[in-house]
Amino acid sequence: MTHLSESAVLVLEDGSRHRGRAYGARGTTLGEVVFATGMSGYQETLTDPSYAGQIVLQTAPHIGNTGMNDEDPESRRIWVAGYIVRDPSRVVSNWRANSSLDDTLERDGIVGISGIDTRAITRHIRSAGSMRGGIFSGEAAALDAEEQLRIVQEAPQMAGQNLSADVSVDAATVTPAVGEKIGNLAVLDLGVKQATVDNLAARGFEVHVLPQTATIEEIRAIDPVAVFYSNGPGDPAASDGHVELLRSVLDEKLPFFGICFGNQLLGRALGLGTYKLPFGHRGINQPVRDKTTGRVEITAHNHGFAVDAPIEGVFDSPAGYGRVEVSHVGLNDNVVEGLRALDIPAFSVQYHPEAAAGPHDANYLFDRFADLVRENKDAK
């Protein structure tokens, strides 16, 4: 159990310092400091591979009251580089809990900090942008302030990092289809969440989760009816190999669906650019407009990069894949939140339709994908 009296400090690369209490494991951790706006679902956030390399700040002040359980993890481990909360719960109150949050963080070696003004840090990041940071606790808390800042400033930037190999499975896994089988689905694991696999299997796909090193020959070998690219961490501009693989998929006219990182990689495969957002979208309460229906969805996001494409109208793919349009738009800042190819069977969204945790407004996208695959099979 964490001893709340032990001191810790959060140091940002611009030199700002925030003193608090040690939370979770003791030591030093480095990463990109980002904030997540969900008021619940912290277990799903911690186990989302898209947060690899990031120190996550929860804007909701009270975290940990429902503890941790064995049913809600979204992957095989906690991926956040560090964790920042204001008021950790002193009592676990949920019938499914089998451990506390702080005990789990300590067991898994996740260095955190509590008891600091998370609102002030969030406002700072919103104005200055996401930046590198470090949490120092235990013996590291006593290091000289200049030494702590030097350590933070020598850490790698998120831009330019390819983290897919860190989070992907080493060997293929198969999840059987539920109900009537549509066919085999090749899922490139760039940081996939369990809820995504479950949603795809529930639509009738036999889900083959493949390592991020998979080749087009290995994808062909499972005789897929479609290909799916998952969410994941890192800079899409550093994933040339995955872009080339996707172009091979598109060349074969295999139906494609991508989410989050997969949306950015579809953008790149179509010949579009990507760029780093000032502070990103992270949380389960982000409004998005579906341009096809005009419907506004409340959606779950976790992305620090976005696709650069014209919001209105139809445009030609610079890479020669025909007509393309932006299908979904973020209402907070007009960021591209979805792409649809009009001449090949491919589409993607920047957010998380599996919404674990989060609202279910976008769950229909899995049905849209299943329908697209059935239509493509019928047309052959």
Side-chain angles (χ1 to χ4, degrees):
M1 179 64 71
T2 298
H3 302 289
L4 296 180
S5 59
E6 294 185 35
S7 66
V9 61
L10 169 68
V11 180
L12 299 179
E13 68 175 278
D14 64 358
S16 58
R17 299 169 58 82
H18 303 266
R19 289 207 164 272
R21 298 185 295 266
Y23 188 57
R26 304 299 187 276
T28 300
T29 192
L30 303 169
E32 181 187 39
V33 179
V34 300
F35 60 87
T37 58
M39 295 183 69
S40 63
Y42 57 81
Q43 181 166 350
E44 291 88 342
T45 294
L46 288 165
T47 55
D48 180 350
S50 298
Y51 282 115
Q54 295 179 322
I55 297 174
V56 175
L57 178 152
Q58 297 277 183
T59 59
H62 197 217
I63 297 294
N65 56 309
T66 55
M68 300 285 276
N69 63 63
D70 294 332
E71 298 172 45
D72 293 343
E74 283 302 317
S75 66
R76 59 195 180 276
R77 51 168 280 198
I78 292 177
W79 289 102
V80 301
Y83 203 44
I84 305 169
V85 300
R86 179 173 172 176
D87 296 318
S89 177
R90 291 170 292 181
V91 177
V92 173
S93 180
N94 187 272
W95 65 276
R96 295 194 303 150
N98 49 29
S99 68
S100 69
L101 172 56
D102 50 342
D103 282 347
T104 303
L105 294 171
E106 193 166 357
R107 182 197 70 202
D108 289 4
I110 308 300
V111 176
I113 186 171
S114 68
I116 61 178
D117 189 345
T118 51
R119 180 180 172 85
I121 299 167
T122 300
R123 289 173 65 89
H124 183 56
I125 291 173
R126 277 180 58 89
S127 59
S130 299
M131 62 184 78
R132 292 166 296 174
I135 300 172
F136 300 87
S137 63
E139 294 180 2
L143 289 172
D144 181 78
E146 290 185 4
E147 173 68 5
Q148 290 172 338
L149 180 59
R150 182 190 65 78
I151 292 170
V152 169
Q153 291 178 340
E154 289 181 354
Q157 300 272 7
M158 182 58 72
Q161 284 201 62
N162 183 335
L163 299 174
S164 300
D166 296 344
V167 299
S168 184
V169 293
D170 295 324
T173 63
V174 180
T175 300
V178 176
E180 183 179 351
K181 181 179 173 181
I182 299 175
N184 298 333
L185 175 65
V187 172
L188 194 71
D189 179 14
L190 304 169
V192 72
K193 295 165 69 176
Q194 187 59 44
T196 301
V197 174
D198 294 343
N199 269 285
L200 292 166
R203 268 59 178 196
F205 293 109
E206 181 174 288
V207 183
H208 293 246
V209 176
L210 305 178
Q212 59 91 27
T213 53
T215 63
I216 189 63
E217 290 77 20
E218 289 168 329
I219 288 177
R220 287 193 198 112
I222 70 165
D223 191 25
V225 293
V227 175
F228 178 92
Y229 270 25
S230 77
N231 58 291
D235 183 349
S239 288
D240 291 344
H242 301 137
V243 172
E244 289 308 311
L245 177 65
L246 180 48
R247 284 180 174 158
S248 297
V249 169
L250 300 180
D251 289 343
E252 297 196 7
K253 299 294 194 295
L254 276 168
F256 173 81
F257 180 26
I259 66 169
C260 202
F261 199 57
N263 175 70
Q264 297 160 11
L265 295 179
L266 176 61
R268 286 201 59 208
L270 294 173
L272 304 169
T274 56
Y275 64 98
K276 195 173 191 303
L277 294 166
F279 49 84
H281 302 176
R282 297 174 182 88
I284 59 178
N285 46 11
Q286 309 275 335
V288 166
R289 179 169 60 89
D290 182 342
K291 289 175 59 182
T292 302
T293 63
R295 184 168 175 257
V296 175
E297 308 160 10
I298 302 303
T299 59
H301 289 216
N302 177 9
H303 65 109
F305 295 84
V307 175
D308 187 6
I311 296 297
E312 299 300 335
V314 175
F315 56 92
D316 290 326
S317 159
Y321 289 101
R323 297 167 301 150
V324 181
E325 67 178 358
V326 171
S327 59
H328 295 74
V329 179
L331 295 182
N332 284 334
D333 52 8
N334 236 29
V335 164
V336 172
E337 292 291 342
L339 296 168
R340 178 167 51 228
L342 302 180
D343 297 317
I344 55 172
F347 74 102
S348 59
V349 291
Q350 184 58 66
Y351 48 96
H352 288 251
E354 83 291 340
H360 298 149
D361 294 16
N363 203 253
Y364 71 91
L365 289 162
F366 291 111
D367 297 317
R368 184 180 286 182
F369 182 44
D371 290 343
L372 176 67
V373 174
R374 288 192 188 94
E375 291 166 7
N376 192 71
K377 288 176 67 178
D378 292 343
K380 288 184 176 179

